[in-house]
């Protein structure tokens, strides 16, 4: 059945191509905005594809194919609003953006990315007279767990350590670094294991010496991210081992010397046996027996000391291992507490800022009760009136909820009442139907306390109330998140359940202070404002 569909499809493309050649002109073509995209395992990804001309693709036959070995399989067809998936591996996981099709956007939403999804994809459009296609590559990646370092006890003249990390794709790179960040991976032995889910686990062993007492780092690097763990090797471990080894060697040499002397004395007395009297011989034998007993007692005493030293060494190792486990658990608990309290790392903040957009306010379409600066970056209330949810300044720019990631930052300072968010309404200059304004409306507002607003109502938040700079992040899945950039914590997130374009809006109740859209990092913006004031 698949072979028949593919053959019929390619015959149709050849026929359309022939028609194109006869007419001698091409009305449109398909363009993939990026030749390759990266998708994370378990996350959703948009495969970009659009018509070069700004025309609707409704009524056209839209097909998505994936290259498999020597053949191509059809994974999605859309024709006259009749969508279907021809490959079982993609059923229920592909979707066209409906509003996008009307504007010539044929991007395909691929849900819950799997490792098997990696490969080359082709987007094509067919009409009775025309055909065009575009190709792109999907690279699937998975970031594994934080490396776990454990002690394996003494090995040779040093101590063995192991580094374990799971859940990587493709195969990651493993490096060992000393306290000076110099690469010591040449001393390690690394193995990779492929699990049943197609993900790689790494296990790397390394023997450390007293020169590594400053600590070592195990670093595992993937395609776009890396993770590392540092462990300090206490010098007392090496000192205990050296002390036990030295005591054992000294005792062994002493025993060998004593046995040698005993052997010499025995030979001497045996030679004199025939020359001395019986009484003197018995006395000598008695002395030798006493010396032997004394040496045996000394040997037993030294052996007991060595045994005690060994027991103390193992007890010290167990204590060290227990301390290491406690430290690991404390680190894990600390990370969980940080996540539960909503704080984000500097790396996560940098990733959001990498997709920051430059917003400007539309004075014409904004509410008549607000005042917008000439550069479109500042807004305040014209008069002291009770500003409402529709007394807003609206942005010139709009974004589709499922077509990418957008991020912007707004300085609210100490303004007591303000409101930030997105809406599908592009004109607030004259609002007649207030109910319609609230239909597709998601926002965070401050009115004594922070409150989340959506089309279902308002929710008072228990998060930290003080914030002078707010970060707004619109993700692939239509999730709108707000961040307090004073302490880099997440305030709240709202689900934007619409496929309409969303316009950022801004509401300020102050007549003497501006709500400012920051075009760059907050600290750089404040420095620039200080320099302008001084000048």
């Amino acid at each position: 059945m698949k072979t028949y569909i593919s053959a019929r499809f390619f015959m149709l493309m050849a026929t359309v191509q022939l028609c194109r050649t006869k007419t001698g002109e091409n009305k449109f073509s398909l363009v993939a905005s990026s030749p390759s995209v990266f998708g994370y395992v378990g996350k959703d990804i948009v495969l970009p594809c659009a018509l070069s001309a700004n025309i609707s693709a409704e009524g056209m036959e839209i097909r998505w194919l994936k290259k498999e070995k020597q053949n191509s399989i059809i994974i999605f067809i859309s024709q006259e609003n009749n969508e279907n998936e021809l490959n079982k591996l993609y059923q229920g996981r592909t979707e066209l953006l409906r509003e996008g099709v009307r504007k010539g956007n044929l991007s395909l939403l691929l849900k819950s990315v799997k490792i098997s999804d990696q490969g080359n994809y082709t987007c094509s459009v067919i009409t009775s007279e025309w055909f065009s296609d575009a190709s792109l590559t999907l690279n699937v990646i998975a970031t594994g767990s934080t490396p776990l370092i454990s002690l394996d006890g003494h090995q040779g003249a040093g101590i063995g350590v192991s580094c374990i990390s799971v859940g990587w794709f493709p195969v990651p790179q493993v490096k060992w670094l000393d306290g000076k960040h110099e690469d010591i991976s040449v001393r390690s032995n690394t193995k990779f294991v492929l699990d049943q889910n197609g993900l790689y686990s790494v296990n790397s062993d390394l023997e450390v010496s007293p020169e590594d007492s400053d600590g070592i780092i195990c670093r595992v690097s993937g395609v776009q991210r890396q993770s590392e763990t540092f462990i300090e090797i206490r010098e007392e471990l090496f000192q205990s081992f050296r002390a036990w080894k030295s005591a054992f060697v000294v005792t062994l040499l002493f025993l060998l010397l004593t046995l040698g002397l005993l052997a010499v004395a025995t030979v001497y007395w045996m030679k004199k046996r025939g020359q001395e009297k019986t009484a003197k011989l018995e006395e000598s034998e008695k002395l030798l027996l006493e010396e032997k007993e004394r040496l045996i007692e000394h040997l037993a005493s030294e052996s007991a000391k060595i045994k005690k030293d060994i027991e103390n060494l193992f007890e010290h190792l167990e204590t060290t291992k227990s301390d290491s486990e406690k430290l690991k658990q404390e680190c894990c608990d600390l990370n969980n507490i940080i996540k539960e309290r909503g704080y984000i790392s500097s790396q996560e903040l940098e990733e959001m800022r990498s997709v920051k957009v430059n917003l400007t306010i539309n004075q014409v379409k904004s509410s008549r009760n607000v005042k917008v600066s000439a550069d479109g970056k500042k807004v305040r209330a014209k008069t002291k009136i009770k500003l409402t949810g529709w007394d807003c300044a609206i942005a010139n720019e709009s974004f589709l909820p499922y077509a990418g990631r957008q991020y912007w930052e707004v300085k609210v300072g100490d303004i007591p009442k303000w409101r930030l968010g997105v809406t599908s309404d592009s004109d607030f200059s004259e609002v007649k139907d207030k109910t319609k304004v609230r239909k597709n409306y998601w926002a965070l507002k401050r009115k004594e306390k922070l409150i989340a607003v959506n089309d279902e109502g308002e929710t008072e938040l228990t998060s930290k109330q003080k914030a002078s700079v707010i970060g707004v992040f619109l993700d692939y899945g239509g999730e709108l998140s707000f961040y307090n950039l004073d302490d880099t914590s997440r305030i709240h997130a709202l689900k934007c359940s619409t496929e309409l374009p969303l316009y950022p809006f801004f509401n300020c109740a102050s007549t003497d202070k501006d709500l400012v859209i920051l075009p760059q990092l907050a600290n750089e913006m404040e420095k620039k404002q200080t320099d302008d004031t001084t000048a």
Side-chain angles (χ1 to χ4, degrees):
M1 180 64 181
K2 293 181 180 178
T3 305
Y4 173 75
I5 292 176
S6 298
R8 181 182 177 188
F9 172 66
F10 287 112
M11 289 177 63
L12 178 60
M13 288 195 297
T15 303
V16 172
Q17 185 68 28
L18 181 60
C19 293
R20 181 197 300 176
T21 304
K22 290 181 178 181
T23 57
E25 60 177 329
N26 191 354
K27 294 184 177 180
F28 63 84
S29 63
L30 285 179
V31 177
S33 60
S34 177
S36 62
V37 294
F38 290 90
Y40 288 90
V41 172
K43 301 292 185 179
D44 298 348
I45 184 69
V46 175
L47 304 180
C49 180
L51 291 170
S52 59
N54 187 18
I55 61 176
S56 173
E58 291 185 314
M60 300 181 182
E61 181 173 323
I62 304 167
R63 295 194 178 207
W64 277 90
L65 298 89
K66 183 176 184 292
K67 187 73 173 178
E68 290 284 356
K69 296 181 179 180
Q70 300 301 323
N71 301 314
S72 293
I73 60 173
I74 302 176
I75 64 172
F76 187 88
I77 296 179
S78 177
Q79 185 176 18
E80 297 180 357
N81 298 323
N82 179 22
E83 299 181 348
N84 61 83
E85 295 158 324
L86 300 182
N87 189 282
K88 293 182 179 180
L89 296 177
Y90 292 86
Q91 287 183 356
R93 295 201 300 125
T94 58
E95 178 182 344
L96 281 183
L97 305 177
R98 268 289 146 230
E99 291 299 320
V101 172
R102 298 190 184 100
K103 298 180 180 180
N105 185 357
L106 313 182
S107 299
L108 185 71
L109 175 63
L110 180 57
K111 304 175 182 177
S112 299
V113 172
K114 303 177 181 178
I115 292 178
S116 58
D117 293 339
Q118 180 163 285
N120 299 321
Y121 291 79
T122 299
C123 168
S124 60
V125 169
I126 306 170
T127 69
S128 59
E129 299 179 354
W130 304 101
F131 164 77
S132 183
D133 62 5
S135 299
L136 58 90
T137 300
L138 171 60
N139 300 294
V140 178
I141 58 178
T143 301
S145 63
T146 301
L148 175 63
I149 300 179
S150 60
L151 297 176
D152 294 336
H154 290 286
Q155 294 181 3
I159 298 175
V161 294
S162 296
C163 177
I164 299 175
S165 181
V166 299
W168 292 88
F169 187 86
V171 178
Q173 183 183 13
V174 182
K175 279 188 177 182
W176 287 92
L177 307 173
D178 60 14
K180 299 178 180 178
H181 284 75
E182 294 182 357
D183 193 348
I184 57 174
S185 303
V186 69
R187 293 156 45 189
S188 65
N189 181 25
T190 303
K191 296 180 181 179
F192 298 94
V193 178
L194 184 65
D195 64 18
Q196 60 183 6
N197 298 320
L199 301 176
Y200 288 94
S201 299
V202 58
N203 189 339
S204 185
D205 299 324
L206 179 72
E207 180 181 324
V208 296
S209 62
E211 288 74 17
D212 301 317
S213 59
D214 289 340
I216 56 173
I217 298 173
C218 177
R219 176 181 295 168
V220 184
S221 304
V223 176
Q224 291 188 336
R225 294 181 181 177
Q226 69 179 22
S227 184
E228 65 182 31
T229 298
F230 170 84
I231 184 173
E232 181 180 2
I233 308 297
R234 297 182 179 176
E235 190 174 4
E236 291 81 1
L237 292 177
F238 297 101
Q239 292 176 350
S240 299
F241 177 71
R242 288 196 295 266
W244 172 83
K245 186 176 179 181
S246 300
F248 180 81
V249 171
V250 171
T251 303
L252 180 61
L253 291 176
F254 175 79
L255 292 176
L256 291 176
L257 178 60
T258 303
L259 292 176
L261 292 175
L262 180 60
V264 172
T266 302
V267 173
Y268 173 79
W269 287 109
M270 287 182 68
K271 288 182 179 180
K272 298 291 290 183
R273 181 183 300 177
Q275 301 176 3
E276 297 179 352
K277 296 179 180 181
T278 303
K280 194 173 182 179
L281 179 60
E282 291 177 354
E283 184 181 355
S284 298
E285 289 177 349
K286 183 180 180 181
L287 291 174
L288 287 174
L289 182 59
E290 291 176 353
E291 180 68 16
K292 180 179 179 181
E293 292 176 353
R294 188 182 66 80
L295 290 175
I296 291 175
E297 290 177 359
H298 181 74
L299 178 60
S301 176
E302 292 297 325
S303 298
K305 290 182 180 179
I306 293 174
K307 183 178 180 180
K308 185 64 177 178
D309 290 341
I310 294 174
E311 291 176 353
N312 292 337
L313 176 60
F314 278 105
E315 182 179 351
H316 183 69
L317 289 175
E318 288 298 326
T319 302
T320 303
K321 185 176 181 180
S322 176
D323 292 342
S324 177
E325 292 297 330
K326 289 180 180 179
L327 180 60
K328 292 176 186 176
Q329 186 60 44
E330 290 174 358
C331 291
C332 182
D333 294 342
L334 181 59
N335 288 332
N336 292 335
I337 291 173
I338 291 174
K339 290 183 180 179
E340 289 174 358
R341 293 183 178 179
Y343 293 100
I344 60 174
S345 66
S346 58
Q347 181 179 355
E348 291 175 307
L349 180 60
E350 289 303 319
E351 289 179 359
M352 290 192 297
R353 283 177 168 170
S354 67
V355 293
K356 185 162 59 164
V357 294
N358 187 21
L359 299 181
T360 55
I361 299 175
N362 190 322
Q363 174 67 78
V364 176
K365 294 185 177 182
S366 295
S367 171
R368 299 174 180 177
N369 294 328
V370 300
K371 179 180 179 181
V372 181
S373 63
D375 61 356
K377 294 290 186 179
K378 302 176 182 178
V379 62
R380 65 171 63 178
K382 285 185 177 179
T383 59
K384 290 185 178 181
I385 63 173
K386 181 180 180 181
L387 290 181
T388 63
W390 44 87
D391 284 326
C392 299
I394 198 75
N396 287 297
E397 296 77 16
S398 64
F399 313 105
L400 290 174
Y402 297 93
R405 300 186 300 166
Q406 290 81 30
Y407 174 78
W408 58 94
E409 296 177 355
V410 182
K411 182 180 179 181
V412 298
D414 57 355
I415 297 174
K417 296 180 182 179
W418 47 261
R419 187 185 303 237
L420 304 173
V422 296
T423 177
S424 61
D425 197 331
S426 62
D427 193 344
F428 278 69
S429 59
E430 182 176 357
V431 179
K432 297 179 180 180
D433 187 352
K434 300 177 181 179
T435 303
K436 180 181 178 182
V437 172
R438 284 297 186 96
K439 185 175 181 181
N440 292 311
Y441 187 97
W442 297 271
L444 176 71
K445 73 175 186 178
R446 177 173 178 82
K447 187 179 180 181
E448 296 180 355
K449 294 184 177 181
L450 290 179
I451 300 173
V453 184
N454 59 17
D455 51 5
E456 296 180 356
E458 298 183 351
T459 303
E460 184 176 306
L461 304 180
T462 59
S463 60
K464 192 173 182 180
Q465 302 297 317
K466 183 63 177 178
S468 62
V469 180
I470 303 295
V472 187
F473 184 54
L474 182 61
D475 206 349
Y476 283 122
E479 184 177 74
L480 184 68
S481 302
F482 299 91
Y483 294 87
N484 180 353
L485 298 187
D486 292 355
D487 59 5
T488 60
S489 63
R490 183 171 178 171
I491 300 174
H492 193 64
L494 296 169
K495 186 68 175 180
C496 302
S497 54
T498 181
E499 294 184 356
L500 297 173
L502 296 177
Y503 293 82
F505 70 83
F506 314 90
N507 183 303
C508 176
S510 175
T511 59
D512 57 353
K513 295 181 180 180
D514 291 319
L515 187 148
V516 183
I517 304 173
L518 300 181
Q520 54 195 27
L521 296 180
N523 56 355
E524 295 178 0
M525 182 64 183
E526 293 174 357
K527 181 177 183 301
K528 181 177 182 301
Q529 291 177 341
T530 302
D531 294 342
D532 293 344
T533 302
T534 304

